[in-house]
Amino acid sequence: MKNNKVIFFLLFISVTILSCNEKKTNNFQINQKLEGCWVGGLLKNGRLTEDIELRLFKIKPDSSLVLSLTYELGPRSRVWEYDIEIDVQNNDISWLAHQGRLSENLDTMYLSKNWKEEQSQWMFYRDTSYDHFINEFISNTKNSYTYSIPPVIKDRLSCASLDKVGIDTIKMTDFIKSIKTADFGDIHSILIYRKGKLVLEDYFALEGNISGSFVNETYRKRTHQLSSVTKGILSLVTGIAIEQGYVSDVDEPILNYLSQYSNSFSEDKKQIQIKHLLTMTSGWDWNQFNYSWNDKRNDAANMYKCKDVVKYVLERPINAKLGTKFNYTNGEPTVLGVVLRNACNMEVDKYSELHLFNPLGITEYQWSRYPDGSLETDGGLKLISRDLLKIGILMLNDGSWNGKQIISKNWVSESTKSRISLSKQRGYGYYWNEMNYKFRGKSESAICIPGDGGQFLAIFPPLDMVIAFTAGIYDKDPTKMYWEIINENILPTLKEK
């Protein structure tokens, strides 16, 4: 019996020691120094990328330190809420897949992240100037919603109430409340323009949980990743280049503007014209949806990583008759961007600034580039939500802005005309989509363009209305999602004449 007690005691001591060794360090004094907002992000070539993040460290009631929030200051603008325990031992710091080292004065950390067989390097620094901002931001969690007329600001968009333009305020308010309860995922903004007035402008974070005046003021000023909505702007720039005589018409062979790649043109590729790039019917063998980004068969990923994106696209084999098969690709609009650069003797970002953005009063924008330096004309544009809405208003007004014709009326018609049938309701023009829908028993037609992650711009000429969305929803088809929202939640708010 005595021996059993000794054995039990030794086992108890062993388990206690092991438990103590496994327990994470909880030094309250150190945790106090680390609590607050950290700024940083992914490192490439030893430098921070544009995707800067805020990461909020908080001390829990039990004195442990946790990562409680991530807020992307970059163009995707996503916010995540967590309760992830942080382990700090001496100057080593880790959480989940992150492991790294704190500086001696505990104000900088360098980390390695090992995730899904990929390793990346990260850096964050303590910035107390963000503490007030992030605490103010999260204080807008789960607050109530009251509709208010959008403010008139320096962009001089005319604003009015929903009721003034024939939209039911109560029904629209109910819809916005459903966004705040995450019914539609991580929508970041919704703007509605009708009958010459901006009548709805609301911004959200954390799947609608964070909203209100502070969030509106913060997000109203920030550019957002547009993804493939960029292609619609590229189409407009193409129309301007034709109007100004830099390009004769859409029937021109692209080889005329890509002489530096002449060795990449086989006889069949010499027949590819600008209109084929605009309708994605050039016939190139291209696959970017059936394989993951890390799969070597994903052409979009291969293009991104290669030394010459245009050459990569041009040297893809042809597997379809020219002009007959629609195949969605990031490659063709990227090539078109270089065609326009060579035709106009100017990069598309500068050309669009001079001939599209400046006339619309758009001053806040960014374009990203591929690693080889090529402009991402397929999906790299960032605009603030109000400026995205301006693009829709321009289309609604047949290319006219404040009495000045920015895009020819003919090009608006030609670029939005259905040329490829994608479904019974959906046709494809020059990157723009034509959508057929029913409204009060009558068939109508709208113009729209979707972007990955839930970016969306829709123009309704018969209803004198434009709707713009931005979001952080990267697991759904934005066209299908938003047309369900429009049909079930927005069109029913329009009052009878």
Side-chain angles (χ1 to χ4, degrees), residues 242-453:
I242 291 173
E243 183 75 12
Q244 294 185 345
Y246 290 108
V247 176
S248 61
D249 55 45
V250 295
D251 296 320
E252 267 204 277
I254 63 173
L255 178 57
N256 291 358
Y257 301 97
L258 298 172
S259 58
Q260 72 270 41
Y261 293 102
S262 58
N263 292 335
S264 299
F265 280 85
S266 55
E267 286 303 314
D268 51 356
K269 293 175 184 176
K270 290 179 182 179
Q271 309 307 313
I272 297 174
Q273 300 169 350
I274 290 172
K275 66 184 178 184
H276 299 126
L277 299 184
L278 287 165
T279 54
M280 299 201 185
T281 57
S282 297
W284 276 305
D285 184 12
W286 190 273
N287 198 322
Q288 71 182 57
F289 295 114
N290 293 331
Y291 305 107
S292 71
W293 186 258
N294 296 320
D295 194 303
K296 293 181 179 179
R297 294 168 292 182
N298 186 314
D299 286 303
N302 291 339
M303 179 180 72
Y304 187 87
K305 299 169 186 176
C306 73
K307 294 181 179 180
D308 188 329
V309 296
V310 174
K311 185 177 181 181
Y312 179 84
V313 179
L314 294 177
E315 294 188 350
R316 296 296 300 150
I318 297 293
N319 70 355
K321 185 179 178 182
L322 187 63
T324 61
K325 183 181 178 182
F326 173 84
N327 186 16
Y328 193 90
T329 161
N330 287 345
E332 296 186 42
T334 301
V335 171
L336 179 56
V338 177
V339 167
L340 293 176
R341 180 192 71 191
N342 293 344
C344 303
N345 295 311
M346 189 183 300
E347 284 274 25
V348 167
D349 57 349
K350 185 62 177 177
Y351 189 78
S352 61
E353 175 188 311
L354 292 176
H355 302 292
L356 180 59
F357 295 162
N358 283 352
L360 295 178
I362 296 174
T363 58
E364 300 295 325
Y365 66 90
Q366 296 88 36
W367 292 81
S368 53
R369 292 180 178 272
Y370 281 97
D372 78 336
S374 300
L375 203 65
E376 284 193 68
T377 48
D378 61 296
L381 179 61
K382 296 95 179 170
L383 294 177
I384 65 174
S385 295
R386 280 197 177 211
D387 288 341
L388 172 60
L389 187 76
K390 286 181 182 179
I391 299 295
I393 297 169
L394 181 70
M395 301 295 282
L396 180 68
N397 294 329
D398 293 324
S400 175
W401 182 262
N402 289 337
K404 182 179 179 182
Q405 202 70 34
I406 309 300
I407 311 287
S408 74
K409 185 175 181 179
N410 180 64
W411 183 258
V412 173
S413 174
E414 288 297 306
S415 61
T416 57
K417 183 188 302 180
S418 178
R419 299 171 185 277
I420 303 292
S421 177
L422 302 183
S423 70
K424 289 182 179 179
Q425 288 76 38
R426 184 179 178 187
Y428 199 80
Y430 293 158
Y431 299 144
W432 293 91
N433 291 214
E434 184 179 32
M435 298 292 296
N436 297 315
Y437 66 99
K438 292 278 188 180
F439 182 66
R440 292 175 183 157
K442 185 179 178 182
S443 295
E444 301 285 7
S445 180
I447 305 157
C448 70
I449 190 159
D452 186 34

Side-chain angles (χ1 to χ4, degrees), residues 182-185 451-454 473-481 484:
D183 285 4
F184 306 105
D452 186 34
I473 309 168
Y474 289 87
D475 57 352
K476 288 186 178 181
D477 173 7
T479 302
K480 182 176 185 295
M481 179 183 77
E484 288 178 356

Side-chain angles (χ1 to χ4, degrees), residues 52-65:
I52 301 297
E53 298 178 355
L54 302 182
R55 295 205 174 184
L56 182 61
F57 289 6
K58 291 188 111 178
I59 296 176
K60 294 181 70 175
D62 65 358
S63 299
S64 62
L65 187 69

